[in-house]
Amino acid sequence: NPSMSRQSGKSSLLYLCSQHIKTNQTLSISLSPLNKSGGESLTCKFFQELVNILMDYIFKSNERSSKILDFHHPHQLKEGLEGFSLDLPDHPEPLEQILVDCRDTLKYGVKTGHPRFFNQLSSGLDLVGLAGQWLTSTANTNMFTYEVSPVFLLMEEVLLKKMQSIVGWCEEEGDGIFCPGGAVSNLYSLLVARYDFYPEVKTKGMCALPRLALFTSEHSHYSVRKAAAVLGMGSDSVQVVPCDERYPSPEGLFGLVPFYVNATAGTTVYGAFDPLTAIADVCDRHKLWLHVDAAWGGGLLMSRRHQGKLQGIERASSVTWNPHKLMGAPLQCSAILIKKRGLLQECNQLCAEYLFQSDKHYDISYDTGDKTIQCGRHVDVFKLWLMWKAKGSEGFGSQVNKCLENAEYLFKQLQRRADFKLVFESKPEHSNVCFWYLPPSLRGLPPGPDTNRRLHEVAPQIKAKMMEEGTTLIGYQPLGSNVNFFRCVFSNPATQHEDVDFLLEEIARLGSNL
Amino acid sequence: NPSMSRQSGKSSLLYLCSQHIKTNQTLSISLSPLNKSGGESLTCKFFQELVNILMDYIFKSNERSSKILDFHHPHQLKEGLEGFSLDLPDHPEPLEQILVDCRDTLKYGVKTGHPRFFNQLSSGLDLVGLAGQWLTSTANTNMFTYEVSPVFLLMEEVLLKKMQSIVGWCEEEGDGIFCPGGAVSNLYSLLVARYDFYPEVKTKGMCALPRLALFTSEHSHYSVRKAAAVLGMGSDSVQVVPCDERYPSPEGLFGLVPFYVNATAGTTVYGAFDPLTAIADVCDRHKLWLHVDAAWGGGLLMSRRHQGKLQGIERASSVTWNPHKLMGAPLQCSAILIKKRGLLQECNQLCAEYLFQSDKHYDISYDTGDKTIQCGRHVDVFKLWLMWKAKGSEGFGSQVNKCLENAEYLFKQLQRRADFKLVFESKPEHSNVCFWYLPPSLRGLPPGPDTNRRLHEVAPQIKAKMMEEGTTLIGYQPLGSNVNFFRCVFSNPATQHEDVDFLLEEIARLGSNL
């Protein structure tokens, strides 16, 4: 009887809401049969109000006059501001309070989609990407088997193939997987490379292997070193290549067996590109695995104007590429691409028959769960797929161009101003622009350790004020012999020249009495 | 001039939509100044239509008469069904098409929230949890530093403390982190345990250590073995303890140094609980690290009626607990809890000063990015926090009780029926119920290899038909000497007795001619 079945089933998913109707929104959860008349409409009302809160937040994030953050110290938030309590209750709170909690959570958070948020490599809020995330959450499944994720697993294949062809690999090459972030993608590259050279490591461990060495540049991401520690190779196995010297020959490492080189395409701070072709030549000569960490730089491949900066990437054995950075996909969306097909599966599979049955009636090559070091995997692909539909490859290209154009605009403004100093005099390669602000008291001082010591304190002081004001947000750091400097990065295509102008004026304003 | 600033800023975030207005929805993306009049209203309209699609899906998932899946083979979906193309275009598609793509994606997917979906340990669709996910996506930040995630990092602390106190650790104990899934949580436990015994592993690698051994039961999750392979210990270092024997003394392993025991609280297939207290005694005696993998069983701690099944868990050095399983949080939501404070940070930190500045103006102990093996981390905590507000601890308890009550109901129905056979005659410990269906042709046959061989083929055949029909979904697997059997698990509190009845009738119907 379908009509009866429909009736009794109608509100079963909705019990969370309907129980609030039944119990006058204060009593504990009841799991008895539900109020059939009110469930759907209350659910709709609840989500409508939620969407209003979220849209309101989106529009506010996008108003330049809105604050990016309303800073409070941890202890202030923990004490409970204006009734916003983080404590977990024993008894349920009414749905109205849940909506208030949502509003408060956003209120005390950071508007990463604001056009004046320059703090991270990931910024902006792509609305089609966001729609993709909402759908993903609603579908609530994971990338495990074709049985529970048919569409998403195929989308992953389509995306990986597209990205592999953009990297420049041929039809027969290429494998990969979407991972929870670039650090995990880099870890996969090292894991798979080790297995490719020494498959016995899977069962026998590092004890069965010679002592390995891998190479990475001074300015590469720290996740390479972290991965070496996690994988039981030890961080000492990482040979850090200084950035201002010629790339050294790996033979120099007595007693260690070099097998892996990480080259960075777009470093975190400077946005610099390692010379991929020259490194690939070294790797060819010595038969080393070449990994290109293009977590940040990969997006440039979408732009005809800038893709040449990654020339040589097609020679990589593996590539990390995070669409959640320059391509603006919502967090998280990171891919590890591996040239040699089958390796990922061989390296990681344990063939637990109780999880991956081989007697299924469909093509089980899409049951990717055993390729990963995770078991269930979050669906990170749909938002990117949907964005690709909405923009096309060329749309990503324009977006990337826009970000680099903003960087060039900032670079030119900095060249012209006496109260700022560029870390590099040459045009930025990526959208990173690094600079110092020179407060009145430091202008005209002779360079030297004393000036540097004082300059080192400028950025943290301005940043502290900036967080209190909440009008814009930018990161700073020291690096090598350079004392604390600001790093501006552009990944939000909503940012305009006026925002760049605002940033400089704001830094000058906040630092004027230093 | 705030009003001008407001005006020019208004639609910058919305360029993705407004460009469609400007270009008549077919031309390529323009990044020039935007149509200021239409942006917000088009955005609202787009999201309103999206929400309609999603709510429609939620209500359909909840109607018992709806199909759980509309099965198609990979090649069918890849060829493009009724205009649903997975291909990635060069040029943008109009927003109307994006909405159609969303509808199609859901149409060909699997309704994991359907009350008759019994296929995975994670099922159901908690609406407050879903609201939490939508907000998380909209906030689009990551768990890296307090600077970009003040509220979410504090919520993580509150949740971890609560979970630690529920596990039974005292105020001064306890650390942890939310991870992308239980397999990663288990990997963390092994990583941190190894570091605790042999801190030199971080820099020197496994070569500097004796050959280690760890113990886990035959029925434990395969992720423990996977973690041993990833960490460079090798899967051979894993000593698998048979499940029907007494827990062996670790001294028996000549030449290996035992250091870690994984005990499972709620095995994947049988839902069985290892004897935690007895294992903790062995670990105490031999000074071993005791990890309890309560990914699936942890939820029982929320129920006064069932928490006793995890007695002894308070003696663990680390615990994996996945609220995305029995507690119904949307995917993913998994925690690794570690008793000894500070270890996680010491084990994983690399102190990259350019990422984790120590000269900030706030309490940097909340900058958790260096505690993890990831760099950025997805915000997995907010949905759980919001659910906790909406249900209270007691609400989780009722929900868990309801799932176990459904399991008991199924168990009783199976006891009464001659066409089904239970794998275990005793009452289930968790919500897993394992059984065979005996088709007419097999009833009354003498037990033996021939009957077993034929019985082994029954579940896959029924499952294949079930996927074609799409009326319900349940998993099967062989395990040890048991040939293919069905495993029913309950984690969706929306499931009622009538759904359990339906499942058995449907299996009997689909298998009636076997």
Side-chain angles (χ1 to χ4, degrees):
Chain A
N1 184 332
S3 95
M4 258 200 62
S5 147
R6 191 181 188 291
Q7 210 177 30
S8 65
K10 212 174 190 177
S11 42
S12 59
L13 252 185
L14 312 176
Y15 78 97
L16 257 177
C17 298
S18 51
Q19 78 214 351
H20 282 285
I21 296 184
K22 286 176 57 204
T23 59
N24 200 22
Q25 312 196 335
T26 53
L27 298 182
S28 71
I29 283 189
S30 146
L31 291 153
S32 54
L34 301 158
N35 182 321
K36 277 158 203 148
S37 58
E40 286 201 9
S41 77
L42 185 71
T43 301
C44 288
K45 194 160 164 287
F46 173 71
F47 275 89
Q48 191 56 62
E49 290 193 24
L50 174 76
V51 169
N52 288 343
I53 292 170
L54 300 180
M55 294 314 288
D56 196 47
Y57 175 79
I58 291 170
F59 293 134
K60 265 221 193 89
S61 293
N62 192 41
E63 275 173 26
R64 289 178 163 78
S65 58
S66 298
K67 282 180 123 186
I68 291 178
L69 82 163
D70 185 8
F71 182 79
H72 293 87
H73 285 280
H75 69 89
Q76 295 173 308
L77 276 170
K78 281 159 86 170
E79 282 154 14
L81 287 162
E82 296 169 24
F84 179 43
S85 161
L86 296 172
D87 297 341
L88 301 169
D90 288 334
H91 308 294
E93 289 183 359
L95 282 183
E96 284 77 3
Q97 182 57 43
I98 297 304
L99 291 168
V100 171
D101 287 339
C102 286
R103 208 183 281 275
D104 285 343
T105 298
L106 291 171
K107 183 176 165 193
Y108 297 111
V110 177
K111 297 192 185 70
T112 59
H114 195 290
R116 292 174 181 172
F117 175 84
F118 306 105
N119 209 67
Q120 312 290 130
L121 299 182
S122 305
S123 65
L125 184 62
D126 187 283
L127 294 177
V128 171
L130 179 62
Q133 285 274 65
W134 286 14
L135 184 144
T136 299
S137 305
T138 308
N140 194 34
T141 192
N142 77 50
M143 306 288 278
F144 185 59
T145 57
Y146 186 80
E147 206 168 305
V148 292
S149 259
V151 183
F152 298 132
L153 282 167
L154 292 173
M155 285 173 176
E156 180 172 49
E157 183 187 59
V158 168
L159 282 165
L160 289 170
K161 279 198 175 156
K162 185 79 169 184
M163 291 167 83
Q164 284 152 9
S165 86
I166 292 171
V167 159
W169 293 345
C170 67
E171 261 303 308
E172 294 71 42
E173 293 171 329
D175 200 345
I177 212 145
F178 278 79
C179 296
V184 177
S185 291
N186 285 341
L187 185 143
Y188 266 107
S189 77
L190 196 52
L191 178 69
V192 168
R194 177 175 72 176
Y195 177 82
D196 192 36
F197 283 88
Y198 305 99
E200 63 273 28
V201 71
K202 187 173 172 180
T203 50
K204 309 253 171 265
M206 289 301 294
C207 303
L209 275 53
R211 298 208 56 184
L212 302 178
L214 58 131
F215 298 82
T216 192
S217 91
E218 191 183 352
H219 292 166
S220 68
H221 196 261
Y222 71 114
S223 56
V224 176
R225 213 143 56 90
K226 227 171 223 198
V230 170
L231 301 184
M233 304 169 66
S235 56
D236 286 355
S237 65
V238 182
Q239 306 299 318
V240 177
V241 180
C243 272
D244 47 1
E245 286 179 18
R246 212 183 147 277
Y247 207 81
S249 160
E251 284 113 346
L253 297 155
F254 185 70
L256 298 177
V257 181
F259 80 111
Y260 172 102
V261 174
N262 170 61
T264 309
T267 59
T268 311
V269 180
Y270 293 147
F273 290 82
D274 287 356
L276 300 185
T277 300
I279 297 174
D281 287 343
V282 173
C283 290
D284 272 356
R285 203 155 56 238
H286 299 279
K287 302 208 190 316
L288 308 179
W289 182 284
L290 171 60
H291 174 64
V292 176
D293 178 359
W296 172 227
L300 294 191
L301 292 168
M302 302 306 296
S303 156
R304 253 175 242 136
R305 199 182 301 161
H306 298 288
Q307 60 194 187
K309 293 170 184 169
L310 290 98
Q311 205 167 8
I313 195 171
E314 70 283 358
R315 295 170 64 187
S317 308
S318 57
V319 171
T320 291
W321 177 355
N322 289 10
H324 72 216
K325 292 197 163 89
L326 193 60
M327 289 166 75
L331 291 159
Q332 286 183 324
C333 192
S334 168
I336 173 71
L337 310 175
I338 290 163
K339 192 180 246 164
K340 193 168 167 184
R341 224 168 255 178
L343 209 50
L344 196 55
Q345 177 86 15
E346 279 171 47
C347 173
N348 290 319
Q349 74 183 355
L350 286 178
C351 299
E353 175 71 11
Y354 73 91
L355 290 168
F356 305 101
Q357 303 83 30
S358 49
D359 50 6
K360 287 178 177 176
H361 76 301
Y362 62 81
D363 174 3
I364 56 167
S365 68
Y366 289 95
D367 289 358
T368 59
D370 216 13
K371 282 172 100 162
T372 76
I373 60 173
Q374 302 180 257
C375 174
R377 232 177 356 127
H378 189 259
V379 177
D380 291 337
V381 292
F382 180 67
K383 56 196 165 197
L384 179 60
W385 180 87
L386 200 67
M387 285 170 72
W388 215 305
K389 286 280 189 189
K391 284 178 213 281
S393 307
E394 63 179 23
F396 280 119
S398 317
Q399 189 172 317
V400 165
N401 289 345
K402 165 84 179 177
C403 292
L404 270 79
E405 204 186 275
N406 275 331
E408 205 172 322
Y409 177 77
L410 170 57
F411 172 74
K412 283 186 184 149
Q413 299 310 305
L414 289 165
Q415 278 185 316
R416 287 169 33 188
R417 294 184 66 140
D419 49 350
F420 288 89
K421 188 173 153 45
L422 283 157
V423 172
F424 298 104
E425 294 300 326
S426 57
K427 212 176 99 175
E429 287 184 273
H430 202 313
S431 83
N432 310 44
V433 183
C434 298
F435 59 89
W436 291 278
Y437 170 69
L438 305 172
S441 64
L442 292 186
R443 274 172 230 162
L445 286 189
D450 185 56
T451 307
N452 271 346
R453 196 185 42 73
R454 289 170 65 188
L455 186 57
H456 188 59
E457 281 160 25
V458 171
Q461 287 183 57
I462 291 177
K463 174 74 177 256
K465 284 188 193 180
M466 193 180 265
M467 286 180 72
E468 300 281 352
E469 300 261 339
T471 46
T472 184
L473 213 60
I474 180 176
Y476 72 87
Q477 63 286 299
L479 192 56
S481 60
N482 285 323
V483 299
N484 276 327
F485 56 90
F486 290 109
R487 177 204 64 174
C488 190
V489 275
F490 298 93
S491 58
N492 181 356
T495 297
Q496 306 289 351
H497 290 180
E498 62 169 307
D499 302 309
V500 177
D501 295 337
F502 179 86
L503 173 70
L504 295 185
E505 286 310 322
E506 190 68 356
I507 291 176
R509 184 178 75 82
L510 297 170
S512 63
N513 58 356
L514 294 179
Chain B
N1 184 331
S3 93
M4 257 201 63
S5 148
R6 191 183 188 290
Q7 210 176 32
S8 66
K10 212 173 189 178
S11 42
S12 59
L13 253 184
L14 311 176
Y15 78 96
L16 258 176
C17 297
S18 53
Q19 77 214 350
H20 281 284
I21 297 184
K22 286 177 58 203
T23 59
N24 201 20
Q25 311 196 337
T26 52
L27 298 182
S28 72
I29 283 190
S30 145
L31 290 153
S32 52
L34 302 159
N35 184 320
K36 275 156 204 150
S37 58
E40 286 200 9
S41 77
L42 185 71
T43 302
C44 288
K45 193 160 165 285
F46 173 71
F47 275 90
Q48 191 55 62
E49 291 193 24
L50 173 76
V51 169
N52 288 343
I53 291 169
L54 300 180
M55 294 314 288
D56 195 48
Y57 175 79
I58 292 171
F59 293 133
K60 267 222 190 87
S61 294
N62 192 41
E63 275 174 27
R64 289 179 163 78
S65 58
S66 298
K67 282 181 125 187
I68 291 179
L69 79 163
D70 184 11
F71 182 79
H72 294 86
H73 285 280
H75 68 89
Q76 295 173 308
L77 276 171
K78 279 158 85 170
E79 283 154 14
L81 287 161
E82 297 170 23
F84 178 43
S85 161
L86 296 173
D87 297 342
L88 301 170
D90 287 334
H91 308 294
E93 290 182 359
L95 281 183
E96 283 77 3
Q97 182 58 43
I98 297 303
L99 291 167
V100 170
D101 287 339
C102 285
R103 208 183 281 275
D104 285 344
T105 298
L106 291 171
K107 183 176 166 194
Y108 297 111
V110 177
K111 297 192 185 70
T112 59
H114 196 290
R116 292 172 181 172
F117 175 84
F118 305 104
N119 209 67
Q120 312 290 130
L121 300 182
S122 304
S123 66
L125 183 63
D126 187 283
L127 294 178
V128 171
L130 179 63
Q133 286 274 67
W134 287 14
L135 184 143
T136 300
S137 305
T138 310
N140 194 36
T141 191
N142 77 50
M143 307 288 277
F144 185 59
T145 56
Y146 186 80
E147 205 168 304
V148 291
S149 259
V151 183
F152 298 133
L153 282 168
L154 292 173
M155 286 174 175
E156 179 171 50
E157 182 188 60
V158 168
L159 282 165
L160 289 170
K161 280 198 174 157
K162 186 78 169 183
M163 292 167 83
Q164 285 152 9
S165 86
I166 291 171
V167 160
W169 294 344
C170 67
E171 262 301 309
E172 294 72 41
E173 293 171 330
D175 201 344
I177 213 145
F178 278 78
C179 297
V184 177
S185 291
N186 285 341
L187 184 143
Y188 266 108
S189 77
L190 197 51
L191 178 69
V192 168
R194 177 176 71 175
Y195 177 81
D196 192 35
F197 283 89
Y198 305 100
E200 63 273 28
V201 71
K202 186 173 172 181
T203 50
K204 308 253 172 264
M206 290 300 294
C207 303
L209 273 54
R211 297 209 55 185
L212 301 179
L214 57 131
F215 297 83
T216 191
S217 92
E218 190 182 353
H219 292 167
S220 67
H221 195 262
Y222 71 114
S223 56
V224 176
R225 213 142 58 89
K226 225 170 224 200
V230 170
L231 300 185
M233 304 170 63
S235 55
D236 286 354
S237 65
V238 181
Q239 307 298 318
V240 176
V241 180
C243 272
D244 46 1
E245 287 179 19
R246 210 181 149 278
Y247 206 81
S249 159
E251 284 112 347
L253 297 157
F254 186 70
L256 297 178
V257 180
F259 80 112
Y260 172 101
V261 174
N262 170 61
T264 309
T267 59
T268 311
V269 179
Y270 293 147
F273 289 82
D274 287 356
L276 301 185
T277 301
I279 297 174
D281 287 343
V282 175
C283 290
D284 272 356
R285 204 154 55 237
H286 298 279
K287 302 207 190 317
L288 308 179
W289 182 284
L290 172 58
H291 175 63
V292 176
D293 178 359
W296 173 227
L300 295 192
L301 292 168
M302 302 306 296
S303 156
R304 254 175 243 136
R305 199 182 301 161
H306 299 288
Q307 60 194 188
K309 293 170 184 171
L310 290 98
Q311 206 168 8
I313 194 171
E314 70 284 357
R315 296 170 63 187
S317 309
S318 57
V319 171
T320 290
W321 177 353
N322 289 8
H324 72 216
K325 292 198 163 91
L326 193 60
M327 289 167 74
L331 293 157
Q332 285 183 326
C333 192
S334 168
I336 173 71
L337 310 176
I338 291 163
K339 192 181 247 165
K340 192 168 167 184
R341 225 168 255 178
L343 210 50
L344 195 55
Q345 178 86 15
E346 279 171 46
C347 173
N348 290 318
Q349 74 182 356
L350 286 178
C351 299
E353 175 71 11
Y354 72 89
L355 290 168
F356 305 100
Q357 303 84 30
S358 50
D359 50 6
K360 286 180 178 175
H361 77 302
Y362 61 82
D363 174 3
I364 56 168
S365 68
Y366 288 95
D367 289 0
T368 59
D370 216 12
K371 280 173 101 162
T372 76
I373 60 173
Q374 303 180 258
C375 174
R377 237 179 349 129
H378 189 260
V379 177
D380 292 336
V381 292
F382 180 67
K383 56 197 166 196
L384 179 61
W385 180 87
L386 200 66
M387 286 170 72
W388 214 304
K389 286 281 188 188
K391 284 178 212 281
S393 307
E394 64 179 23
F396 280 119
S398 318
Q399 190 173 317
V400 165
N401 289 344
K402 166 85 181 178
C403 294
L404 270 80
E405 203 186 273
N406 275 331
E408 206 172 321
Y409 177 79
L410 170 58
F411 172 73
K412 283 186 182 148
Q413 299 309 305
L414 289 165
Q415 277 185 317
R416 287 168 35 187
R417 295 184 67 140
D419 50 349
F420 287 89
K421 188 172 152 46
L422 282 157
V423 172
F424 298 105
E425 295 300 326
S426 56
K427 211 176 98 174
E429 287 184 272
H430 202 313
S431 83
N432 309 45
V433 183
C434 297
F435 59 89
W436 291 278
Y437 169 69
L438 305 172
S441 65
L442 291 187
R443 275 173 228 161
L445 287 188
D450 185 55
T451 306
N452 270 346
R453 194 185 42 73
R454 289 169 64 188
L455 186 57
H456 188 61
E457 282 160 24
V458 171
Q461 287 182 57
I462 291 177
K463 174 74 177 254
K465 284 189 193 179
M466 193 180 266
M467 286 180 71
E468 300 282 353
E469 301 261 339
T471 47
T472 184
L473 214 60
I474 180 177
Y476 73 86
Q477 63 286 299
L479 191 56
S481 59
N482 286 322
V483 298
N484 275 327
F485 57 90
F486 290 110
R487 178 204 63 175
C488 192
V489 275
F490 298 93
S491 58
N492 181 357
T495 296
Q496 306 290 350
H497 290 179
E498 63 168 306
D499 302 310
V500 176
D501 296 337
F502 178 86
L503 172 70
L504 295 184
E505 287 311 320
E506 190 66 357
I507 291 176
R509 184 177 77 81
L510 297 170
S512 62
N513 59 356
L514 294 180

